Amino acid sequence: MLPPIPIPAEYGISPDTGFLPSEPPLERLPDRYYAKWEWIASNIQSLLLSKRIRQAVDTMPMLTTAYLQTEPEWRRAYSILGFILHGYVWGGSTPAERIPPQLTVPLLDVCEHLDLPPVATYAGLVLWNFKPIFEEEPLDDLDNLSCINTITGSLDEQWFYLISVAIEARGGPAISLVLQAIAAARVGNSLVVTEYLQALAEMIDELAALLERMYEHNDPHVFYHRIRPYLAGSKNMADAGLPKGLLYDDGKNPEYRQYGGGSNAQSSLIQFIDIALGVEHRPTGETRSSSSDKDGVAAGPRHGFIQEMRSYMPGPHRRFLEHTTAVANIREYVEAHHNDKALCLAYDACLSMLRSLRTKHIQMVSRYIITPSQKAQERAASRKPSTLNLATARSGEKPDGSKLRGTGGTALIPFLKQARDETGEPMIDAWARRLLKTRSSEPSFASLSKLGEQPDGDLKVVGLAGTWTAADSEGGICHW
């Protein structure tokens, strides 16, 4: 007997807004008991500028989570404590290694309730940190969105988060499309599966268009030097001054822990689309052929960065993805009906649009991280940096950024290129596979400009936006 198709509402997922909450997040905790947390969060820019953020946290009273009543209140607490944590760690000339009990204890309690790690994640920075300017207007309209909190107070930081909010809102209806396509495939209704796949392809294309609006109000220099350092986690951060990670001091059993920082790979939406289409991601550097042993027997499961990022998603969202994985059948259905040209074309179109989205992401990473990093290295050669963080740490990266890390802790370009290439692997029709691999010398390449591939097939810094890289595991603007 087939397992039941998941019901999004049972996992706190809206048919309209998807993984965003169905109601706008709280802008403040209603109980005055938490006024000190809210004061620090709302004054974090002044505290960072005056270098008094650590003093404010060190003298903060020990507050219990007993007065948090509703899920929106727990989410609000998680969001602001995450901002305070990252301001505390990265708000000095060197990172703070020890997190005091008055921050550690309530943060760990909130994390246990929400099934999240004690670090600023995509959920706290994006999903639960926005407000519509006019509640009656749509959430996928960037002209109708604002952030509740930021670390730097800059328009660039707001725009960085809000692009993701708009993408989540625009992609929310994709959840229903996919689940209905899965149900139609179960009963052999190819017309319905085709219709929903066509709609999904158009929706993914719209997500890519939203992503490209990042350039409008997010300056690469501001992002790299002023925003990205505060988003860093504590994993693989020895070069930035945290060789053991962070010491979470609960007053009883202090413990060193390492976590990746906020990353777009923590978006449940993008992983959901991957699962729906049967896109499989391997650990960085592992090829399709190397995933099987010499006798042709499939090797045991190995989890890479994308799979690891699920542990940074809210528990219900992570369980929804697991449930969806158990019922996903679209790729197998299309493969079994490869003579249905309309069905195969719709499926391949989804993969093409998703691959195009990842190519645009790679180009964006190059512009926002690789190029600023190269310039920073040139300047650093002549002077010693006054602060130590993700932007100033020197980790021996190559000129192409292959060793450069993101805020989540992973190497950038190799990861991103592999994830992009893996997206096209399930292509059904031979022409589609050729088109994704073709060089500029072949006329058919020009007809698929939406893929955004460079003429030489490479991903060096070329063109208006340049490109990106991913090798190990970090985050920030990276890792889709």
Side-chain angles (χ1 to χ4, degrees):
M1 183 176 179
L2 294 174
I5 294 174
I7 300 173
E10 295 180 352
Y11 297 91
I13 298 168
S14 165
D16 300 316
T17 59
F19 296 100
L20 295 173
S22 56
E23 297 294 330
L26 291 177
E27 295 183 36
R28 290 187 68 86
L29 289 170
D31 198 316
R32 289 287 300 169
Y33 177 78
Y34 299 109
K36 188 63 175 180
W37 290 355
E38 291 286 1
W39 183 87
I40 293 177
S42 62
N43 288 278
I44 196 166
Q45 293 90 33
S46 299
L47 292 170
L48 289 171
L49 184 63
S50 61
K51 299 189 182 299
R52 299 179 69 180
I53 179 71
R54 292 174 184 171
Q55 174 189 349
V57 174
D58 289 338
T59 58
M60 186 172 69
M62 175 71 76
L63 302 180
T64 175
T65 58
Y67 299 100
L68 297 174
Q69 302 296 324
T70 65
E71 286 305 296
E73 291 178 24
W74 285 97
R75 294 168 184 166
R76 173 64 182 165
Y78 177 78
S79 182
I80 59 176
L81 290 176
F83 276 107
I84 294 172
L85 171 71
H86 282 245
Y88 186 91
V89 172
W90 301 107
S93 57
T94 59
E97 183 180 49
R98 173 186 170 272
I99 310 304
Q102 53 269 44
L103 180 53
T104 295
V105 173
L107 178 59
L108 293 181
D109 287 346
V110 170
C111 291
E112 181 178 4
H113 179 88
L114 295 171
D115 198 2
L116 280 165
V119 66
T121 62
Y122 184 87
L125 297 169
V126 174
L127 299 181
W128 304 334
N129 184 42
F130 71 92
K131 57 182 178 181
I133 299 173
F134 300 101
E135 292 193 8
E136 67 276 8
E137 295 184 11
L139 294 179
D140 60 359
D141 182 359
L142 281 160
D143 295 331
N144 187 45
L145 291 174
S146 179
C147 281
I148 301 173
N149 289 99
T150 63
I151 294 179
T152 66
S154 64
L155 173 63
D156 306 73
E157 185 182 356
Q158 281 208 53
W159 195 248
F160 176 59
Y161 301 148
L162 294 178
I163 289 290
S164 291
V165 172
I167 287 174
E168 294 286 342
R170 182 72 59 87
I175 297 173
S176 296
L177 286 177
V178 166
L179 296 181
Q180 291 178 76
I182 290 173
R186 284 188 170 187
V187 298
N189 192 333
S190 294
L191 288 177
V192 172
V193 176
T194 301
E195 177 185 351
Y196 287 135
L197 287 178
Q198 289 171 342
L200 180 61
E202 293 176 3
M203 191 170 294
I204 298 172
D205 190 30
E206 292 172 356
L207 303 185
L210 280 172
L211 178 64
E212 285 192 304
R213 293 193 61 186
M214 182 71 73
Y215 303 116
E216 294 179 17
H217 298 297
N218 188 7
D219 181 82
H221 180 87
V222 173
F223 176 80
Y224 185 83
H225 291 280
R226 300 180 186 175
I227 300 171
R228 182 171 173 264
Y230 286 109
L231 301 180
S234 53
K235 184 177 182 179
N236 297 330
M237 288 294 165
D239 292 317
L242 297 174
K244 298 180 181 179
L246 295 178
L247 179 63
Y248 289 82
D249 186 358
D250 62 359
K252 298 177 182 179
N253 300 297
E255 179 184 6
Y256 276 101
R257 301 189 188 189
Q258 294 188 15
Y259 296 102
S263 168
N264 285 333
Q266 296 162 7
S267 166
S268 299
L269 174 65
I270 303 301
Q271 291 214 24
F272 174 79
I273 295 174
D274 273 340
I275 292 169
L277 298 175
V279 176
E280 299 174 355
H281 295 288
R282 298 176 293 273
T284 303
E286 184 176 289
T287 64
R288 198 174 190 179
S289 59
S290 67
S291 61
S292 299
D293 63 23
K294 295 181 180 180
D295 297 324
V297 179
R302 294 182 59 200
H303 300 293
F305 179 75
I306 289 180
Q307 287 73 24
E308 178 189 342
M309 285 297 98
R310 291 194 191 178
S311 64
Y312 292 79
M313 298 175 184
H317 296 179
R318 180 170 64 251
R319 290 186 283 275
F320 175 75
L321 294 185
E322 293 168 355
H323 192 163
T324 303
T325 301
V327 302
N329 60 1
I330 294 175
R331 176 178 175 178
E332 290 78 8
Y333 184 81
V334 176
E335 289 174 342
H337 296 77
H338 61 273
N339 291 325
D340 188 332
K341 295 302 180 183
L343 174 66
C344 293
L345 182 61
Y347 176 77
D348 287 347
C350 288
L351 294 178
S352 294
M353 295 303 100
L354 186 57
R355 193 176 189 274
S356 173
L357 173 66
R358 286 195 158 105
T359 295
K360 287 179 170 63
H361 195 218
I362 292 172
Q363 294 169 341
M364 188 170 289
V365 173
S366 177
R367 186 169 186 175
Y368 280 89
I369 297 181
I370 306 303
T371 300
S373 171
Q374 293 169 344
K375 293 179 180 178
Q377 289 182 61
E378 294 171 1
R379 289 193 297 269
S382 60
R383 60 183 176 85
K384 183 178 180 180
S386 59
T387 60
L388 183 61
N389 56 37
L390 190 59
T392 59
R394 301 182 65 183
S395 53
E397 61 264 23
K398 297 178 182 178
D400 66 354
S402 62
K403 293 299 181 182
L404 189 65
R405 295 184 174 277
T407 53
T410 268
L412 297 180
I413 290 299
F415 165 81
L416 292 176
K417 286 184 66 175
Q418 180 174 317
R420 186 278 312 271
D421 294 341
E422 289 165 344
T423 302
E425 288 178 355
M427 284 285 182
I428 300 300
D429 280 352
W431 73 267
R433 291 195 297 271
R434 286 198 306 271
L435 201 54
L436 288 176
K437 295 179 181 178
T438 188
R439 299 274 180 166
S440 59
S441 59
E442 300 179 36
S444 59
F445 180 85
S447 65
L448 201 59
S449 59
K450 188 173 289 293
L451 290 180
E453 196 73 64
Q454 301 302 335
D456 63 356
D458 203 353
L459 283 169
K460 300 289 185 181
V461 181
V462 180
L464 293 178
T467 52
W468 226 27
T469 320
D472 289 339
S473 44
E474 292 188 30
I477 199 173
C478 20
H479 299 104
W480 255 336

